[in-house]
Amino acid sequence: MTKWLEENTPKLVLAPSFVAVLIFVYGFIAWTAWVSLTRSRLLPKYEIDSFIQYDRLFASPRWDTAFSNLFVFGFLFIVIAMILGLILAILLDQNIRTEGAIRTIYLYPMALSMIVTGTAWKWILNPGLGLEATVRGWGFENFTFDWLVNPDMAIYTIVIAAIWQSSGFVMALFLAGLRSVDQEIIKAAQVDGIPTWRVYTAIIIPSMAPIFLSAFIVLSHLAIKSFDLVIALTGGGPGYATDLPATYMYAMAFSRGDIGQAASSAMIMMLVVFTIVVPYLYSELRSKND
Amino acid sequence: MTDMSYTTSTSGKGVGKIALRWGLYIMLGLFALFYLMPLFVMLTTSLKSLEEIRTGDLISLPREVTLDAWRTAWSGACTGIQCEGVRPYFWNSVLIAIPAVMISTLIGALNGYVVAQWRFKGANLFFALMLFGCFIPFQVVLLPMARMLGLMGLAGTIPGLIFVHVIYGLGFTTLFFRNYYVSIPAELTKAAKVDGAGFFRVFWSIFLPLSLPIIVVTVIWQFTQIWNDFLFGVSFSQAGTQPVTVALNNIVNSTTGVKAYNVDMAAAIIAALPTLLVYVVAGKYFVRGLTAGSVKG
């Protein structure tokens, strides 16, 4: 008995987590997938009934807005945060004496809750007393910056706040990448008289391809999960102009009492995450085993 | 160091080089202003009276510093019908975060130790399953979890939230420890086993003493995640058990009475203070967690 126990301790230690993951991750995904194929409304039903929830989902104008917002927001957020992060990293890589302090300043928003970020930007961007009023007070009477309450522009305020929060993190990733480039090659290029900007565009940046990929994965993951920021900054409004799939799912699940819609929208979110993350994880795990 | 200024600082006596250097610092400074501006605005707004907010502008310093907004935010602001400020919710967050961080870190350490050092058939599969679990959008587990918490009698309770945070934190904590322990030579474990040390003995006297850096990284990561969480907090809490992020959102969006921006800002800073403090004190480990948690597969 004790011998058996001794031999199997590692397995026994792992067992609770294994069971927990099976139930609370994979079992729950299966539950959601199952319910997304039923006519569930306020209460879950378990008779499978084709793809009716998905038909409803894609016929819903609100989902339509939420889903296309995800791509508008995601695209701008990822591209701008990457460019900004790269620029900041390169600027900081020039033997800056106060690098530590500047890096701390650029990165601190990442420590904040998105609710805090949303609250701060909501105040800054509110037209009545915020930035707009301030600039008008300086004498620019016609200055308007009403994106927060403008249904066509409100989604961009979310882009701004999200970039503010995450670009410092991208900078940190890129800075670590810049520092890991082989210094001999760079020295050799400098000896050959190749201008600095060429060293960056031709040698350093191309060698950082894996870091671009990581940054892309992290940022797209953040974009799809963005929920708190929208809730705090715009509440999904005006109307539902800034809804994202995450807020749509939440509204269906907890305020509209439409479990079928909540489940099917959650499944679509997972599909989007998996089309991005699975190939990445797969290649990562494979390259580790080789 | 990608010593780019090698050329600029040694041979660069020309005016152009100096101007370039100045331009660089000015740009870095402008970006610093961009990142600091919201914090600055929050802080100054929280120290102004409502009167001054209505008449002054966003970035002016307060003419008269008052802590009224801070007092109200801490113990008087209304989150819906309750008007007790963020204080009770702040303590809820503490009560949720501390046990959840400790439990998930401990289990993660043991898991990582098994996966990295006691390989057996299926251990890698376990790790892969956990890893995928890190990436799922939590929306996909919200509905069944709400029902499960109800079945377990934990719906709307602080233990319920601790449970949820432990479960969905395990993926990352296991990942952190596994990646750390994998670099410790397996011979160490083998030699200890030959000497008759068992599973826990090896963990306790060999691995744990080596683990301080990764424990710090994991604790900081988990604390930041759990403290800043909103989705689980808003989905699985009820009136008295909400974490501070949910209370903050309720204060800001409470529709009763005059909009008190100074109170909103003070409440936001209070909610942000613990994680900001951690960041300032242990920024190095915070960054390490961020990069490890996101880059490593």
Side-chain angles (χ1 to χ4, degrees), chain A residues 199-252:
Chain A
V199 176
Y200 273 105
T201 54
I203 302 172
I204 300 177
I205 294 175
S207 75
M208 295 205 306
I211 298 190
F212 276 90
L213 185 62
S214 306
F216 172 76
I217 298 286
V218 176
L219 291 173
S220 52
H221 195 233
L222 279 175
I224 295 161
K225 282 176 129 175
S226 288
F227 168 72
D228 338 15
L229 190 59
V230 179
I231 295 289
L233 188 56
T234 64
Y240 49 71
T242 52
D243 247 348
L244 284 177
T247 56
Y248 179 92
M249 185 276 163
Y250 184 81
M252 291 300 148

Side-chain angles (χ1 to χ4, degrees), chain A:
Chain A
M1 181 63 194
T2 42
K3 181 111 177 71
W4 180 89
L5 205 63
E6 216 164 86
E7 268 169 17
N8 288 288
T9 314
K11 288 180 192 169
L12 288 173
V13 165
L14 222 48
S17 301
F18 182 65
V19 173
V21 168
L22 279 190
I23 296 174
F24 296 107
V25 176
Y26 295 93
F28 278 11
I29 292 172
W31 190 94
T32 305
W34 183 287
V35 166
S36 78
L37 298 173
T38 68
R39 283 182 184 272
S40 304
R41 274 287 170 111
L42 200 57
L43 292 170
K45 293 187 183 116
Y46 297 103
E47 302 85 48
I48 292 223
D49 189 1
S50 73
F51 287 92
I52 179 161
Q53 295 295 350
Y54 295 91
D55 293 339
R56 280 180 65 208
L57 193 64
F58 284 98
S60 148
R62 184 171 177 182
W63 170 259
D64 201 46
T65 309
F67 201 53
S68 52
N69 272 346
L70 175 62
F71 290 97
V72 172
F73 164 71
F75 177 78
L76 290 173
F77 166 60
I78 293 169
V79 169
I80 300 175
M82 288 241 251
I83 295 173
L84 191 58
L86 184 62
I87 292 174
L88 293 177
I90 293 176
L91 289 180
L92 261 187
D93 196 32
Q94 310 303 319
N95 265 352
I96 303 299
R97 223 167 293 151
T98 49
E99 188 196 304
I102 295 177
R103 224 173 34 198
T104 306
I105 291 172
Y106 289 177
L107 196 60
Y108 85 88
M110 203 63 192
L112 302 180
S113 156
M114 290 216 197
I115 297 290
V116 173
T117 303
T119 303
W121 282 95
K122 186 183 185 151
W123 161 235
I124 293 166
L125 296 174
N126 94 76
L129 292 164
L131 199 63
E132 181 182 283
T134 302
V135 175
R136 281 188 185 172
W138 293 342
F140 303 93
E141 295 294 337
N142 294 322
F143 179 81
T144 22
F145 193 69
D146 61 348
W147 286 10
L148 197 61
V149 293
N150 180 341
D152 294 328
M153 305 303 280
I155 188 73
Y156 301 113
T157 62
I158 298 182
V159 176
I160 294 173
I163 289 171
W164 178 79
Q165 180 146 43
S166 307
S167 49
F169 167 57
V170 185
M171 172 219 60
L173 277 182
F174 280 138
L175 200 55
L178 289 175
R179 301 275 152 86
S180 64
V181 176
D182 187 356
Q183 295 305 305
E184 294 306 310
I185 303 176
I186 295 166
K187 290 247 171 68
Q190 282 177 332
V191 170
D192 285 351
I194 297 170
T196 304
W197 68 270
R198 278 293 293 161
V199 176
Y200 273 105
T201 54
I203 302 172
I204 300 177
I205 294 175
S207 75
M208 295 205 306
I211 298 190
F212 276 90
L213 185 62
S214 306
F216 172 76
I217 298 286
V218 176
L219 291 173
S220 52
H221 195 233
L222 279 175
I224 295 161
K225 282 176 129 175
S226 288
F227 168 72
D228 338 15
L229 190 59
V230 179
I231 295 289
L233 188 56
T234 64
Y240 49 71
T242 52
D243 247 348
L244 284 177
T247 56
Y248 179 92
M249 185 276 163
Y250 184 81
M252 291 300 148
F254 294 100
S255 46
R256 299 284 288 272
D258 197 334
I259 288 180
Q261 282 296 283
S264 57
S265 54
M267 290 310 292
I268 299 286
M269 285 179 69
M270 200 173 82
L271 211 65
V272 176
V273 173
F274 272 32
T275 46
I276 295 170
V277 167
V278 168
Y280 170 74
L281 278 184
Y282 183 71
S283 67
E284 282 277 300
L285 287 173
R286 255 181 65 130
S287 66
K288 281 237 169 88
N289 287 343
D290 285 346

Side-chain angles (χ1 to χ4, degrees), chain B residues 64-199:
Chain B
E64 222 174 302
V65 172
T66 161
L67 289 175
D68 286 350
W70 281 76
R71 263 189 292 275
T72 313
W74 181 243
S75 57
C78 299
T79 56
I81 37 169
Q82 237 109 11
C83 293
E84 307 165 276
V86 293
R87 182 173 52 188
Y89 308 100
F90 188 91
W91 295 120
N92 283 347
S93 278
V94 173
L95 288 179
I96 294 165
I98 289 178
V101 168
M102 281 172 26
I103 299 169
S104 59
T105 304
L106 179 69
I107 302 179
L110 284 169
N111 285 349
Y113 168 59
V114 173
V115 175
Q117 295 283 334
W118 295 75
R119 297 178 184 189
F120 56 84
K121 221 175 153 210
N124 273 333
L125 176 73
F126 167 82
F127 185 59
L129 285 174
M130 284 227 108
L131 211 55
F132 278 108
C134 294
F135 283 95
I136 58 163
F138 289 134
Q139 277 75 12
V140 87
V141 299
L142 279 190
L143 290 167
M145 189 45 116
R147 300 182 74 76
M148 181 65 97
L149 288 175
L151 287 176
M152 300 195 310
L154 292 176
T157 66
I158 287 184
L161 279 169
I162 295 172
F163 177 77
V164 173
H165 282 300
V166 168
I167 294 287
Y168 296 109
L170 280 184
F172 274 110
T173 57
T174 302
L175 170 71
F176 285 159
F177 281 99
R178 181 264 184 193
N179 284 353
Y180 187 78
Y181 288 153
V182 107
S183 61
I184 296 174
E187 283 69 34
L188 215 57
T189 310
K190 272 186 200 137
K193 271 199 274 190
V194 170
D195 287 348
F199 177 86

Side-chain angles (χ1 to χ4, degrees), chain B residues 259-277:
Chain B
K259 200 85 217 70
Y261 294 106
N262 48 2
V263 174
D264 292 356
M265 292 305 123
I269 298 174
I270 293 172
L273 227 40
T275 48
L276 265 186
L277 202 68

Side-chain angles (χ1 to χ4, degrees), chain B:
Chain B
M1 288 270 153
T2 350
D3 202 358
M4 276 304 150
S5 63
Y6 177 70
T7 39
T8 20
S9 54
T10 46
S11 65
K13 295 254 176 350
V15 181
K17 291 278 165 72
I18 292 169
L20 208 65
R21 204 79 192 138
W22 271 95
L24 184 66
Y25 275 98
I26 288 170
M27 259 158 74
L28 286 169
L30 288 176
F31 277 118
L33 283 182
F34 167 68
Y35 288 105
L36 283 175
M37 185 267 289
L39 190 64
F40 173 79
V41 169
M42 279 162 83
L43 201 60
T44 52
T45 304
S46 76
L47 296 172
K48 290 176 185 172
S49 67
L50 262 188
E51 194 49 42
E52 201 184 327
I53 290 174
R54 267 190 229 105
T55 52
D57 67 35
L58 202 60
I59 50 176
S60 63
L61 287 168
R63 281 191 300 271
E64 222 174 302
V65 172
T66 161
L67 289 175
D68 286 350
W70 281 76
R71 263 189 292 275
T72 313
W74 181 243
S75 57
C78 299
T79 56
I81 37 169
Q82 237 109 11
C83 293
E84 307 165 276
V86 293
R87 182 173 52 188
Y89 308 100
F90 188 91
W91 295 120
N92 283 347
S93 278
V94 173
L95 288 179
I96 294 165
I98 289 178
V101 168
M102 281 172 26
I103 299 169
S104 59
T105 304
L106 179 69
I107 302 179
L110 284 169
N111 285 349
Y113 168 59
V114 173
V115 175
Q117 295 283 334
W118 295 75
R119 297 178 184 189
F120 56 84
K121 221 175 153 210
N124 273 333
L125 176 73
F126 167 82
F127 185 59
L129 285 174
M130 284 227 108
L131 211 55
F132 278 108
C134 294
F135 283 95
I136 58 163
F138 289 134
Q139 277 75 12
V140 87
V141 299
L142 279 190
L143 290 167
M145 189 45 116
R147 300 182 74 76
M148 181 65 97
L149 288 175
L151 287 176
M152 300 195 310
L154 292 176
T157 66
I158 287 184
L161 279 169
I162 295 172
F163 177 77
V164 173
H165 282 300
V166 168
I167 294 287
Y168 296 109
L170 280 184
F172 274 110
T173 57
T174 302
L175 170 71
F176 285 159
F177 281 99
R178 181 264 184 193
N179 284 353
Y180 187 78
Y181 288 153
V182 107
S183 61
I184 296 174
E187 283 69 34
L188 215 57
T189 310
K190 272 186 200 137
K193 271 199 274 190
V194 170
D195 287 348
F199 177 86
F200 288 107
R201 184 72 203 281
V202 176
F203 179 67
W204 188 255
S205 46
I206 298 179
F207 283 83
L208 218 50
L210 294 171
S211 306
L212 190 65
I214 197 64
I215 291 175
V216 175
V217 168
T218 312
V219 165
I220 288 177
W221 167 269
Q222 279 297 88
F223 178 74
T224 314
Q225 293 294 310
I226 296 172
W227 187 274
N228 289 343
D229 161 72
F230 178 74
L231 182 62
F232 288 150
V234 77
S235 305
F236 302 137
S237 67
Q238 58 193 29
T241 58
Q242 288 156 336
V244 69
T245 47
V246 178
L248 169 63
N249 189 53
N250 287 343
I251 288 175
V252 174
N253 292 312
S254 123
T255 42
T256 46
V258 187
K259 200 85 217 70
Y261 294 106
N262 48 2
V263 174
D264 292 356
M265 292 305 123
I269 298 174
I270 293 172
L273 227 40
T275 48
L276 265 186
L277 202 68
V278 166
Y279 174 67
V280 170
V281 172
K284 193 177 77 177
Y285 293 98
F286 174 78
V287 176
R288 211 186 284 173
L290 274 180
T291 40
S294 50
V295 182
K296 288 282 178 244

